[in-house]
Every structure is written in C-alpha cells, then in structure tokens.
Amino acid sequence: ISMWTRYLTIPLAFLQSFVIYSTLQSFGLMERLESVELLAMSFTLAAGAIVMMWLGELIAEQGYGRGSGYIISLGILALLPSQITGNITTADAFEVGVFLFIIVLMLVATIMVIEAERRVKLMYSKRVRTGGAQESYVPLKLTQFGVMPVIFAVSVISFPQLIAQFIQAREYNDRSTEIAGNILNFLADGWVQGVGTFILVILFSFFYVTIVFNTDEMAENFQKQGAFIKGIRPGKQTAKFLKMTTYRLTAFGGVFLAILAVLPQVLLASGLISSQIFSGTGLLIIIGVLLDVRREILSQIVVRGYNRYI
C-alpha cells in the first residue's frame, strides 16, 4: 500500500501543478509559459510534494503516528493566529464573545463525536470464567469514516470548477468559454456549494462505511472464535445487526460532519465572523492529530512504566 501511495503521488502531483498553473493564469497572475518552463515548474512542484511525503514517512517511522497529518496540521495551525486576530480586531465585544463561544463549542463537540463509540457486547461460549461466559465488546466508532467524506465531497464540487477554469484559460472557442463561465457562476453560488457539500458528505459517509466496514466478514470471524452478541443469532443475523447499528451511527455522524463542513460558510454569511477560520476538514485533521499524539504519549508512558518491572 505504501508503494502504491508513492507511485500515485507522482502523477497526482504533476496534475496538481498543471492545475495550479492554469488557475493562476486564468486570474492573470502568471504569463503563458513555454513548454520547457512549464515542465520545469511541474517538476519543481512535484519534487516538493515528494519531499513532503518523504518527511511524513520519516516521522511515521519513528513511531509518532501519521507524519503527513502532522505536516498538514502545522500548515493549518500556522494560519490560525492571523485569522483569529483578524476576526477579533474587526468585531465589538458581543461579537467577540459569540465568536469565542462558537470556537469552543465546535472544538468540544468535534472531540466528543470523534471519541464517541458504541460498544457492542460479545460473549464467548468457549471461554468460561467464574460466574459465566467471558465478555468483551466491539467498539463501533461514531465517525468510522474520519475526514474522508468531506475530502470526497469537496473534490467532487471543485473538480468541475478546475475543468471550467482550465477551459477558460485555454480559450478554445466562444461557446466553450461561455459554458465554462456558466458552470463557474453556478458553482460559485454560496447556496449551491453549501447544500451540495452537505448532501455529498452524508452520501459519501454511507458509501465509505459500506465499502470499508465488512459486517459479513466480521460476523464470520465471531462465529469462528465462538463469540456471539447476546440475543442475536450468529451468522447472518449478527451481520444484519452490525450493519443496521453502523448505519444508525453513520446517520448521526454523517449529519454532524456535514454540519461541520458547511458551518464556516454559514457563519460568514451571517456576519458572525469576518473571515473563515478553518474548514471542517481542517478542524477534524487538527483534532485527530492531537488525539493521536495524546494516545502515542500515553502508550509510551505505559511501555516505559512496564519496563521497570521486566
């Protein structure tokens, strides 16, 4: 998987560099480059992406969690002081209070939802202890999909914009330029982006859980281990119960993730904030990385504490 990730990073980096060039050119921020100059710029940006991927792998190899997540989080956190200062300096005392309350509420709610889980109790018929069969549980996270639905939703919405910007920059003919302009105007509408993002995040949440979380395989493994859910027959009934439970959790988690994704736009439109602080994706990445750091530190403390008795 790591090798495939590296192989796919290179063509995606070249594609992104070309999109950056086309976007800058469409806004008049860059002149049209010759083939050699464009190739040199693409190689430079792709090399930068590969270096960042390498640094992320070095961090992960040291046992500190997801290295790429740390780098992305640092990039997001570096912009926070100026954005928060800009919002506070342009607001009165009441707006500052509302702004700080919303920030704290978003942080607390996001941490609670990320850490929340439904513990499905398991009983093992082959493992008996005093008082009956041994019990354990299967933790079903409220947000098993993480930040992926938001990334998919933003990509689906932004991809037509990138294509339209590319067509406008190339100016193939008047008809294609007009169609590209209409697409950009339609997608630039705040309601279209907000409603589209909200619906796509929920749909991708269910899609991602359906693809990743294989309840049939899990139920089969339970049956092989002699485990069962109290009151549920092993096999297909267990798989059905896990699937329905996961869908209920995904319904709540997906709606929360969709609200979090569009909330910055709503706050901007209502005038409570003057500039976007961070996106729902950025907030989830930051909190996820901080929780990973906390878990890594706690695990290191446990290991070092046990080493004294070995």
Side-chain angles (χ1 to χ4, degrees), residues 52 78 92 139 155 174 188 205 208 299:
M52 298 306 293
D92 55 25
S155 301
D174 295 337
S205 298
Y208 192 80
S299 64

Side-chain angles (χ1 to χ4, degrees), residues 262-307:
V262 301
L263 186 59
Q265 299 178 6
V266 175
L267 295 177
L268 277 173
S270 62
L272 292 176
I273 58 176
S274 57
S275 62
Q276 182 167 320
I277 309 164
F278 39 62
S279 63
T281 309
L283 183 63
L284 287 170
I285 291 174
I286 292 173
I287 293 177
V289 168
L290 292 178
L291 292 176
D292 282 344
V293 171
R294 176 179 174 272
R295 281 191 288 267
E296 291 291 337
I297 293 175
L298 291 177
S299 64
Q300 291 293 331
I301 292 174
V302 172
V303 170
R304 291 180 182 274
Y306 284 155
N307 283 340

